[in-house]
């Protein structure tokens, strides 16, 4: 019995990666720039809070303002990370672009008045909303949109912490712990690395933790 020759797959793989790079590059660069802006302003508001301890007394009022912002202009954006995960699993109403400015603004307000808010949620929501916008522009099918949304999450996470490999792994495992979506592996890694390099190119330095 004669075996059929294996197909020469390298050109097809290269074409596939090139296509995803073209899609991911603008998304990652914008996310990297937004993360850089967020980190820069975050340092400013944090230092302001330390210089003016009395701001802590206004934290309850800041909480009311944040709730009102999401009630008045947030609409579906108040679902946060869950909305992005739901959109990856099953396409619905989409991830609104307003999620990015809202989460950045409300996180900065929280830090300014002494509240506790992590950076990862902000970065993931910025990545998800920007990638969702480009998915609509590119008119992607669900499977392609899923990969782009995961890549946006990876870009945001990798850029905000300066950990591109961790960002890619986070996006791959966040849907189902312990299960990797291998079709999104290289796009997520490309997005995370490119967003991280973009953030670093702006001169932003990440917090260093000595263990």
């Amino acid at each position: 019995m004669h075996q059929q020759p294996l197909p020469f797959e390298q050109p097809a793989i290269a074409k596939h990666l090139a296509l995803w790079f073209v899609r991911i590059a603008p998304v990652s660069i914008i996310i990297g720039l937004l993360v850089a802006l967020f980190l820069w302003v975050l340092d400013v508001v944090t230092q302001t809070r330390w210089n003016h301890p009395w701001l802590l007394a206004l934290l309850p009022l800041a909480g009311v303002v944040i709730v009102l912002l999401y009630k008045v202009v947030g609409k579906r954006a108040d679902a946060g990370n869950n909305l992005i995960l739901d959109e990856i699993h099953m396409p619905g109403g989409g991830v609104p672009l307003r999620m990015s400015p809202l989460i950045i603004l409300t996180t900065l307000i929280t830090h300014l008045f002494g509240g506790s808010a992590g950076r990862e949620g902000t970065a993931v929501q910025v990545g998800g909303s920007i990638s969702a916008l480009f998915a609509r522009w590119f008119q992607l099918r669900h499977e392609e949109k899923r990969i782009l949304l995961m890549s946006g999450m990876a870009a945001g996470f990798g850029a905000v912490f300066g950990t591109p490999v961790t960002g890619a792994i986070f996006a791959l495992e966040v849907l189902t712990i312990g299960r990797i979506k291998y079709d999104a592996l290289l796009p997520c890694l490309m997005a995370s690395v490119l967003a991280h390099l973009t953030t670093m190119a702006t001169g932003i330095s990440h917090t260093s933790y000595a263990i």
Side-chain angles (χ1 to χ4, degrees), residues 4-18:
Q4 294 292 331
L6 294 175
F8 191 60
E9 295 181 350
Q10 282 77 3
I13 294 174
K15 181 180 178 181
H16 176 76
L17 291 179

Side-chain angles (χ1 to χ4, degrees), residues 163-181:
T163 54
V165 175
T166 303
I169 295 174
F170 166 80
L172 291 169
E173 284 202 327
V174 71
L175 299 180
T176 307
I177 301 300
R179 293 180 59 187
I180 297 291
K181 299 290 186 181

Side-chain angles (χ1 to χ4, degrees), residues 14-24 144:
K15 181 180 178 181
H16 176 76
L17 291 179
L19 174 62
W20 273 108
F21 181 81
V22 170
R23 291 170 173 171
I24 285 171
E144 295 173 325

Side-chain angles (χ1 to χ4, degrees), residues 3-165:
Q3 289 185 342
Q4 294 292 331
L6 294 175
F8 191 60
E9 295 181 350
Q10 282 77 3
I13 294 174
K15 181 180 178 181
H16 176 76
L17 291 179
L19 174 62
W20 273 108
F21 181 81
V22 170
R23 291 170 173 171
I24 285 171
V27 177
S28 301
I29 291 172
I30 292 174
I31 292 172
L33 292 174
L34 287 175
V35 167
L37 176 64
F38 167 67
L39 291 176
W40 177 70
V41 181
L42 183 62
D43 285 340
V44 173
V45 299
T46 301
Q47 190 59 48
T48 301
R49 217 284 297 173
W50 283 112
N51 293 337
H52 303 87
W54 56 268
L55 287 172
L56 184 61
L58 299 178
L59 181 58
L61 179 60
V64 172
V65 171
I66 290 173
V67 171
L68 287 177
L69 281 172
Y70 274 102
K71 290 293 184 182
V72 175
V73 298
K75 296 184 179 179
R76 300 181 69 244
D78 62 354
N81 292 342
N82 290 333
L83 178 60
I84 302 173
L85 297 179
D86 290 342
E87 194 67 19
I88 292 175
H89 283 296
M90 183 66 66
V95 181
L97 181 61
R98 70 187 67 196
M99 179 180 283
S100 284
L102 267 176
I103 188 60
I104 291 176
L105 177 60
T106 54
T107 302
L108 293 175
I109 291 174
T110 302
H111 279 265
L112 177 61
F113 293 97
S116 176
R119 304 177 182 184
E120 66 282 352
T122 304
V124 167
Q125 291 181 48
V126 168
S129 61
I130 297 300
S131 58
L133 173 65
F134 275 82
R136 291 193 293 270
W137 285 350
F138 293 149
Q139 297 181 343
L140 301 181
R141 302 189 307 273
H142 171 57
E143 286 302 312
E144 295 173 325
K145 181 180 180 181
R146 175 180 64 84
I147 293 176
L148 193 62
L149 284 173
M150 293 172 66
S151 299
M153 295 173 65
F157 194 98
V160 80
F161 290 116
T163 54
V165 175

Side-chain angles (χ1 to χ4, degrees), residues 157-210:
F157 194 98
V160 80
F161 290 116
T163 54
V165 175
T166 303
I169 295 174
F170 166 80
L172 291 169
E173 284 202 327
V174 71
L175 299 180
T176 307
I177 301 300
R179 293 180 59 187
I180 297 291
K181 299 290 186 181
Y182 289 101
D183 56 345
L185 175 59
L186 290 179
C188 284
L189 184 59
M190 286 191 295
S192 188
V193 170
L194 186 53
H196 165 66
L197 292 177
T198 301
T199 300
M200 295 299 292
T202 64
I204 295 294
S205 57
H206 295 88
T207 304
S208 178
Y209 299 96

